[in-house]
Amino acid sequence: MGKTSAGFWTVLGVMLLGGCAHQSQVKVDNSEQPYR
């Protein structure tokens, strides 16, 4: 495996792991809702 190929796979792996680690949190505003 050459340096270029190893670097490519390293960058690709980091990008995939970074994409999987991101989780968006949705904030729900219940301030105007009556208590149930």
Side-chain angles (χ1 to χ4, degrees), residues 3-19:
K3 282 187 176 181
T4 306
S5 182
F8 170 76
W9 288 113
T10 302
V11 170
L12 183 65
V14 168
M15 287 173 48
L16 287 173
L17 288 174

Side-chain angles (χ1 to χ4, degrees), residues 11-29:
V11 170
L12 183 65
V14 168
M15 287 173 48
L16 287 173
L17 288 174
C20 293
H22 176 71
Q23 294 181 357
S24 61
Q25 294 183 354
V26 178
K27 300 248 179 183
V28 178
D29 184 16

